[in-house]
Amino acid sequence: MDLDDILKMCKQCFPPIKKAQGNVNLTFTEEAVKLTSGLFKEWFIDKTTTTGNAGIDDDLLFFVRNSVDKGECKVDVARKDSPTLPSTTDLKFNWPETFFLNFILHEFEYQQVFPSPTKQRMDCKSKESETIYPDLFFSIDDFEQCFKDIVIQQDGEKVAVELTAMNQAIGLSKLVFSGMVDYTAVQQAFVNREKAQSSSSSLATKIASFTPFKNRTQSFHIEQAAQYIRLRGPRRTGFAELAVSKHKPVTEAIPNRKTSHDSVGVKIVSYRKIRSSENEADEGQDYQLPDEAIAVSSSSDQVTSNIKQLPSDHRLNASLTYIMLNWQTIIDAVLYSGEPGKLS
C-alpha cells in the first residue's frame, strides 16, 4: 500500500466540505472507524518510515480522545515504541480524527513551519502553550528576521499569505490557506491599535505614579514596537496574524517591486495589483479583520497604475507570525479542493 492508495481510502470516510457549510462536527460510521484504526496501525505504528516531513524521523504519535472532562487535554501524545501506546481497539479514542491528525503532522511538508495541536503567544514569545485542537498552529518563530524586507510602501499594495502542504514523494502540492489584505485595512488596524495602546499606557503611567517605586513593574516603561493584528481567513477558514510596525528608513532605496519571503509553503508578499487588458486569475481571496471590523475590497477590484509612493512615516513592515487552521480544512484541501501555490 502506498500513499496514493491511502488518499483514495481517506475519501471513503471524509466527504468534501461545502464552502458555505464550513467545518462541522463529523460523525464517522462504524466502517470509517474500522478503516482508519486499521490504517493508523499499518501506516504509523507498524511502518518504519513516512514519506513526508523531508526525512525527519519523528516517532511521536498523537491520539484524539472522544470526550474529555473540563481542563483535560483532548490530545494524548506517545512515542511509537512506548509500552503504554494505546491499542487501536480502545474506544475512548476517536480513530478517524487520530489518523487524520497524524496524517497531517507526519506525511506533509510545510517547509519552514510545522503544524502543532498546541498554540503559543507570538507577541511575547511565551513558552507556555495551550491545546487548540481541532485547530492546528503553524508558527514562524523567527518572523522578525524572516520578513524584515517585507515593506508596504505604496497605497494600493496588498499583503498576501499562503500555506502549502507538500509531499515530494508523490509530487503532491496543495494550497491549504490563501488570502490577501490591502494596505488601507492594515494601516487602519495598526493606527487603532496604537491609539488603544497609547491610552492604556497613559493610564498605566498614572497608576504607576501612585505606586511605591519598589512595586512598579517594568511593563509600564516598555513600548511595544509592533502591533499584532489577527486576520480571519477567506470564507472564515482559520486565522493568520501579522506583526505590523512602522518601517525604519534605510539608506538604500527599496525598488518598485514584488517581494516575497523565500520559503515555499508560507509566503507573505507585498505587491501592486495592476491588471492587464486580458482577464487574469485572482491571486487570492481577501481577508477580513474581525477585531477591527474594517471592510476589505474584493481582490478582483481594479487598481489603477497611478499609485503614489507613501510618505516614509506611513510605510509599514509586515511579518507573518502564525497561521491557525482546523484539521478538516487541511484534509479537505489535500483530498479535494487544494490548488498549487500561486505566489512566487
Side-chain angles (χ1 to χ4, degrees):
M1 183 184 300
D2 59 20
L3 189 58
D4 283 321
D5 296 325
I6 295 289
L7 291 171
K8 292 175 183 177
M9 297 177 75
C10 286
K11 293 183 179 181
Q12 297 178 26
C13 53
F14 188 93
I17 297 176
K18 297 179 181 178
K19 291 183 179 180
Q21 180 184 21
N23 300 313
V24 297
N25 292 323
L26 292 175
T27 301
F28 294 99
T29 64
E30 185 175 338
E31 291 77 10
V33 173
K34 183 178 179 180
L35 172 64
T36 51
S37 62
L39 287 176
F40 179 79
K41 184 178 185 303
E42 178 177 351
W43 200 252
F44 294 111
I45 297 179
D46 297 339
K47 193 178 179 187
T48 57
T49 60
T50 63
T51 60
N53 275 353
I56 295 175
D57 185 15
D58 189 351
D59 63 349
L60 286 180
L61 296 176
F62 298 79
F63 299 83
V64 180
R65 291 177 175 266
N66 276 310
S67 61
V68 294
D69 295 329
K70 187 176 181 180
E72 287 187 333
C73 183
K74 189 175 176 63
V75 180
D76 291 351
V77 183
R79 294 199 177 277
K80 186 188 298 187
D81 58 357
S82 171
T84 60
L85 194 71
S87 167
T88 53
T89 60
D90 191 338
L91 296 182
K92 72 180 177 185
F93 294 104
N94 186 318
W95 290 109
E97 291 196 23
T98 294
F99 170 76
F100 283 122
L101 175 58
N102 285 276
F103 196 58
I104 291 170
L105 299 180
H106 291 290
E107 291 302 325
F108 298 98
E109 301 171 33
Y110 308 88
Q111 284 309 92
Q112 298 184 18
V113 292
F114 299 92
S116 171
T118 61
K119 174 186 177 182
Q120 295 177 322
R121 286 185 59 180
M122 302 300 292
D123 57 346
C124 59
K125 300 289 186 178
S126 172
K127 294 183 179 180
E128 297 181 359
S129 61
E130 61 174 315
T131 300
I132 59 170
Y133 184 85
D135 291 329
L136 297 177
F137 192 66
F138 299 80
S139 63
I140 300 93
D141 292 332
D142 57 345
F143 61 85
E144 301 100 331
Q145 183 67 23
C146 285
F147 302 113
K148 64 181 180 179
D149 296 327
I150 302 298
V151 182
I152 314 175
Q153 66 170 355
Q154 296 177 125
D155 190 15
E157 287 188 327
K158 293 176 183 260
V159 177
V161 178
E162 67 178 33
L163 174 66
T164 305
M166 295 169 288
N167 187 296
Q168 296 181 4
I170 62 172
L172 183 145
S173 177
K174 292 296 185 74
L175 195 63
V176 298
F177 188 85
S178 174
M180 63 179 69
V181 62
D182 65 26
Y183 167 82
T184 303
V186 174
Q187 196 267 348
Q188 186 61 57
F190 177 78
V191 170
N192 290 348
R193 290 292 180 85
E194 275 201 322
K195 288 180 179 178
Q197 183 178 317
S198 177
S199 299
S200 299
S201 298
S202 177
L203 177 60
T205 302
K206 291 179 181 179
I207 295 174
S209 66
F210 292 101
T211 305
F213 183 82
K214 63 180 180 180
N215 294 330
R216 295 183 187 179
T217 62
Q218 188 179 11
S219 62
F220 290 137
H221 308 284
I222 295 178
E223 291 186 7
Q224 192 175 23
Q227 299 297 330
Y228 291 79
I229 301 171
R230 192 173 67 157
L231 312 174
R232 187 185 299 279
R235 299 183 296 276
R236 305 181 70 84
T237 56
F239 291 93
E241 183 184 74
L242 292 180
V244 182
S245 59
K246 291 182 179 179
H247 174 58
K248 296 180 180 179
V250 293
T251 55
E252 182 180 351
I254 300 175
N256 184 8
R257 78 291 175 240
K258 174 178 179 179
T259 53
S260 172
H261 171 47
D262 188 26
S263 73
V264 179
V266 174
K267 302 175 184 177
I268 185 167
V269 177
S270 174
Y271 68 93
R272 186 167 52 178
K273 179 78 172 179
I274 304 175
R275 286 175 172 269
S276 66
S277 58
E278 299 178 359
N279 292 327
E280 297 179 3
D282 290 343
E283 296 192 33
Q285 297 292 323
D286 279 321
Y287 289 115
Q288 296 175 350
L289 293 152
D291 296 338
E292 305 297 337
I294 297 174
V296 182
S297 62
S298 169
S299 61
S300 62
D301 286 351
Q302 177 79 25
V303 178
T304 65
S305 58
N306 185 25
I307 299 177
K308 296 182 178 179
Q309 188 99 344
L310 293 169
S312 59
D313 59 345
H314 286 197
R315 299 176 193 173
L316 299 174
N317 283 100
S319 301
L320 180 69
T321 65
Y322 73 78
I323 292 174
M324 188 166 66
L325 278 177
N326 188 285
W327 72 268
Q328 294 182 31
T329 302
I330 300 172
I331 291 296
D332 181 73
V334 168
L335 295 180
Y336 301 106
S337 59
E339 300 177 352
K342 300 174 183 177
L343 302 181
S344 59

